[in-house]
Amino acid sequence: MNIPRLWREIRQRYQGIGVECEPCGRVYFPPREVCPHCRRGSIGNLNEYELGGKGKVVTYTQVHEPMEDYKMMVPYIMVIVEMDEDVRMTGQLVDVEYEDVEPGMEVEVTIRRLGEESPSGIIYYGYKFRPTR
Amino acid sequence: MKTKRKVGINGYAGYVPRYRITPKEIGEVWGKDGEMMAKGLNVESKSVPSPDEDVISISIQAAKWATERAGLTGDDIGAIYVGSESHPYAVKPTATIVAASIGATPYLTAADYEFACKAGTAAIQTGMGLVASGMLENTMAIGADTSQGAPGDALEYSAAAGGAAFIIGKDDLIAEIHHTCSFTTDTPDFWRREGQKYPSHGGRFTGQPAYFKHITGCTECIFEETDTGPDDYDYAVFHQPNGKFPLKVAKKLGFSKEQVLPGLLVTRIGNTYSGSAPLGLAATLDHADPGDRILVTSYGSGAGSDSFDIVVTDRIEEIRHKVPTIEEVIEDHVFISYSRYAKFREKIDIGAW
């Protein structure tokens, strides 16, 4: 990830800032420029919206062949989460054993290290999920 | 040091990683009697951060929970100071990342602190000054570490990870800080040179002329300045490099074991360095009743101590259970093997992937 992209996405990665379409009330994450339902009507009417950070597991899997930044975490769990705002997010599920995960499980966002550019480069932080405390 | 205006804590929280390793498991690898080591240190297990945890992620979790517990937002926080000796960057502040994660940017002042294990309490004092002077309404002080001991070194049996955040303000206080005191000298008991992965220490020299002299000197200073003694406090929290030192110094100062135990976390989570006294205070606040008086004395090698005279208010009952208590955080834990610990703590050279 290059530095300008990292910087541009800080608010969505650290705080879960998406958008809410004023005409229809739908929430989008990551933020969209246009609401696909209200189309032209949404232009200029998409307001910042901070997700509450809580949701439920829709589906999950365990990864054994990792991406470079996840090699120390193998095997690790990836989940699709239905957030309370009816938005679906994909991320890693941490602090739980694979055997204990099930659809419908309540999870919350936790900010963790996602990776790094290199040992001397920028460190990436962002959202992951863990069972709700 | 007494503030002219009322100042105190209006939000707090702590975070400790989920993984644990026992001294027995470590000892087996290095041919030492780990059980004897556990007994000698009075440390049953220590916390281990997972590969995606560091001082920044630990600080963010503590900061988010502290803000939520206080009922504040990032916009309410005018300063963030993060004390640690394991900041992930040598140059680039931990505090700016924490500030961005709680939505406190851009109108705030922020910096990272380093004073071995007492950087977090130094951050509390800075916040007190900013609030008591009227410059800011609320400031945040964090003490957190993911400390490392060299493989096989005595430190490896206790060096752990965790941290706590405190919001220092003047309104809606859950505890008033009546007084603070510091005791600082140039004492070479423990250090880490620039670029070195693991710290060095003076062995037994870290005891009497370092830990005990400074904690005793600072606590006696606050006794004198506030005209109090051990019986005036319901609880006492001391820096916890192991499970023996804080109990020994407490006894020496006239405190009972009962006054110290609610904040004595080292036996279960190890030495969290800059997070040690702050986590001990957070656990004690979880336990305290309105009106209870708490003495806190931190210790940082190099060396210095900060003492605080804190009185809990009625508001503690209202906000205590808004976020997980320290006990709830450390209750959820999993023991790991030395091999998994070595992988987590980057003690395995995997070369090019």
Side-chain angles (χ1 to χ4, degrees):
Chain A
M1 198 187 315
N2 61 37
I3 289 173
R5 180 181 161 195
L6 168 80
W7 173 77
R8 263 199 312 276
E9 294 177 355
I10 275 177
R11 297 190 72 228
Q12 49 178 287
R13 286 180 190 276
Y14 295 2
Q15 282 181 278
I17 305 277
V19 291
E20 183 180 38
C21 176
E22 205 173 298
C24 71
R26 287 183 176 87
V27 175
Y28 296 102
F29 184 90
R32 281 176 176 263
E33 298 297 322
V34 177
C35 168
H37 295 273
C38 304
R39 293 180 283 185
R40 187 180 295 173
S42 69
I43 294 172
N45 293 315
L46 288 168
N47 306 317
E48 268 192 10
Y49 186 93
E50 185 174 345
L51 297 176
K54 292 192 192 309
K56 286 181 180 159
V57 171
V58 175
T59 185
Y60 62 100
T61 189
Q62 192 166 33
V63 179
H64 294 271
E65 292 299 326
M67 294 186 296
E68 168 76 22
D69 285 324
Y70 287 71
K71 61 194 175 191
M72 284 301 184
M73 303 204 75
V74 172
Y76 60 90
I77 307 162
M78 290 296 289
V79 281
I80 292 176
V81 175
E82 177 98 35
M83 303 302 287
D84 290 350
E85 295 84 357
D86 283 340
V87 175
R88 286 191 176 190
M89 290 168 75
T90 303
Q92 188 188 347
L93 180 63
V94 297
D95 286 358
V96 65
E97 311 313 312
Y98 183 66
E99 297 71 35
D100 298 329
V101 186
E102 54 185 15
M105 181 181 190
E106 292 187 356
V107 294
E108 63 186 10
V109 162
T110 176
I111 305 300
R112 296 286 177 96
R113 204 171 170 136
L114 299 180
E116 61 184 20
E117 197 176 21
S118 68
S120 60
I122 283 289
I123 306 167
Y124 313 132
Y125 294 89
Y127 58 83
K128 292 188 179 184
F129 296 93
R130 69 148 177 255
T132 302
R133 283 184 189 259
Chain B
M1 296 179 273
K2 185 165 178 60
T3 57
K4 286 183 179 167
R5 297 182 205 180
K6 190 167 78 176
V7 59
I9 300 163
N10 52 19
Y12 73 96
Y15 175 78
V16 178
R18 182 172 177 252
Y19 299 96
R20 304 278 185 278
I21 189 167
T22 61
K24 182 173 183 281
E25 178 73 20
I26 298 170
E28 272 172 20
V29 175
W30 300 110
K32 296 259 173 68
D33 185 343
E35 281 176 337
M36 185 77 90
M37 193 66 100
K39 211 174 157 195
L41 292 169
N42 191 16
V43 171
E44 297 159 19
S45 57
K46 69 164 193 170
S47 63
V48 180
S50 75
D52 61 354
E53 292 184 294
D54 59 19
V55 161
I56 291 176
S57 69
I58 289 170
S59 300
I60 289 173
Q61 185 60 77
K64 284 194 178 230
W65 277 341
T67 314
E68 190 182 333
R69 186 177 254 156
L72 298 173
T73 67
D75 291 335
D76 300 316
I77 311 292
I80 296 181
Y81 296 103
V82 186
S84 178
E85 56 180 82
S86 41
H87 290 290
Y89 288 99
V91 178
K92 190 194 179 319
T94 296
T96 56
I97 301 172
V98 175
S101 77
I102 61 164
T105 53
Y107 298 107
L108 86 161
T109 177
D112 288 357
Y113 275 8
E114 191 281 319
F115 193 146
C117 300
K118 83 155 190 91
T121 54
I124 293 177
Q125 289 179 327
T126 308
M128 288 172 65
L130 288 166
V131 171
S133 65
M135 287 172 73
L136 290 171
E137 297 285 309
N138 299 292
T139 70
M140 182 177 279
I142 299 173
D145 257 306
T146 53
S147 48
Q148 290 249 41
D153 187 85
L155 283 179
E156 197 186 17
Y157 294 85
S158 58
F166 294 87
I167 302 176
I168 308 299
K170 60 181 181 57
D171 298 321
D172 297 329
L173 302 179
I174 57 107
E176 291 179 18
I177 305 177
H178 286 177
H179 205 93
T180 182
C181 221
S182 289
F183 186 96
T184 309
T185 70
D186 179 9
T187 307
D189 58 326
F190 173 102
W191 62 92
R192 180 166 64 83
R193 295 275 302 273
E194 183 70 42
Q196 294 297 307
K197 189 170 180 182
Y198 301 113
S200 306
H201 55 87
R204 287 187 177 273
F205 187 74
T206 57
Q208 201 51 50
Y211 180 89
F212 290 99
K213 175 182 163 181
H214 292 79
I215 292 216
T216 308
C218 199
T219 307
E220 283 172 349
C221 163
I222 205 162
F223 281 168
E224 196 184 321
E225 291 187 10
T226 56
D227 194 22
T228 58
D231 295 340
D232 295 309
Y233 297 90
D234 297 282
Y235 301 104
V237 178
F238 300 105
H239 173 55
Q240 305 165 22
N242 54 54
K244 287 223 160 150
F245 279 18
L247 289 174
K248 196 172 165 187
V249 83
K251 194 175 175 189
K252 195 176 168 193
L253 286 161
F255 290 96
S256 68
K257 212 172 172 179
E258 288 66 38
Q259 285 169 292
V260 180
L261 287 181
L264 193 74
L265 304 172
V266 61
T267 53
R268 289 178 289 161
I269 64 167
N271 178 7
T272 53
Y273 285 54
S274 302
S276 177
L279 274 167
L281 172 58
T284 305
L285 287 169
D286 285 343
H287 194 82
D289 292 320
D292 281 350
R293 196 168 185 177
I294 305 168
L295 173 104
V296 180
T297 303
S298 63
Y299 173 71
S301 291
S305 280
D306 303 320
S307 286
F308 300 88
D309 170 11
I310 297 169
V311 176
V312 179
T313 74
D314 293 342
R315 191 161 189 268
I316 188 88
E317 308 276 20
E318 277 174 53
I319 71 161
R320 184 158 23 210
H321 293 291
K322 280 188 173 178
V323 299
T325 61
I326 302 297
E327 206 53 52
E328 286 164 349
V329 171
I330 64 178
E331 203 172 51
D332 175 27
H333 63 267
V334 172
F335 286 97
I336 57 172
S337 62
Y338 192 89
S339 5
R340 202 163 171 212
Y341 160 77
K343 181 176 135 182
F344 277 14
R345 300 304 283 138
E346 295 178 346
K347 291 173 197 280
I348 300 175
D349 182 3
I350 55 169
W353 180 259

